[in-house]
Amino acid sequence: MKKCIIIGKTNVGKTAFFINFAEYLGIKTFELEKKFPDGIEEYAKLSSRAAFAALVDEKYHKTKNIQSIVVTVPIGKGKKKIQLIDTAGLTDDIHPEIDVRKAISQTLSIIRESELILHILDASAAEKKELPSAFGMVDYQVAQFAQLKRGYVILANKIDLPDSSYGLKKIKQEFSGNLIIPISALNKTGFKEVKTFVIHNL
Ligand SMILES: Nc1nc2c(ncn2[C@@H]2O[C@H](COP(=O)(O)OP(=O)(O)O)[C@@H](O)[C@H]2O)c(=O)[nH]1
Ligand SMILES: [Mg+2]
């Protein structure tokens, strides 16, 4: 089964996108597989609303593990299953907490195995250099590395927020040459375009 990984800095909206995009693709009950950096695996079955409440947070580094769900997308006259993977947020600096560092290295190893890479940036935070959610060095590094893959796209998230139009312009300047889709993970804006991208790159 092909892997579609969601990556980006902490708090950009990876988990919100993961849940709402899976729901958009028709998932009603989340059969979530969690893999922790120490190798432990956990399974959970919950509604999308419960998943959102439990997993999305304004706190930084809420997600310290890989969590995935199997979704089905239409291909021609048939269907194909893919594994949608939510990951721990990346940081520009070496993070002081060992749990966060382990989770980041787990994320980086899965990037290599993934056919599709959805790289999320927070368009509303592009100006806020002091916040972990503003794009930074690690985003340029990821783009350099991941753009070698056919299935690489940048999702400029939080376009529902007032500051995002400037941020989107900045992202287009800084990451020119890459495909950039503006989205709102919260309002499910731009999801049709993301779905089309996924289908074309399977
Ligand atoms: N306004 C707005 N807020 C969002 C959007 N996506 C995520 N958020 C908020 O950003 C915060 C971090 O989201 P989360 O998905 O946990 O980020 P992650 O650390 O990248 O997984 C939460 O408070 C979300 O409600 C969006 O499209 N618009
Ligand atoms: Mg998260």
Side-chain angles (χ1 to χ4, degrees), residues 6-20 52 55-63 67 86-89 120 122 124 156-162 183-189:
I6 301 162
I7 54 168
K9 292 179 82 171
T10 187
N11 218 247
V12 295
K14 295 179 298 298
T15 304
F17 174 79
F18 169 69
I19 293 168
N20 280 349
F52 203 95
L55 304 173
V56 176
D57 211 299
E58 60 196 17
K59 283 201 304 267
Y60 299 138
H61 297 292
K62 167 79 177 164
T63 314
Q67 42 204 19
D86 182 28
T87 62
I120 303 195
D122 183 342
S124 75
N157 191 29
K158 306 196 189 181
I159 56 153
D160 55 291
L161 292 177
I183 64 162
S184 165
L186 227 44
N187 298 347
K188 302 187 180 171
T189 319

Side-chain angles (χ1 to χ4, degrees), residues 37 63-65 88 98-108:
T63 314
K64 290 199 194 66
N65 57 281
I98 180 119
D99 280 1
V100 173
R101 292 204 301 271
K102 279 186 179 168
I104 290 173
S105 94
Q106 188 193 19
T107 299
L108 296 174

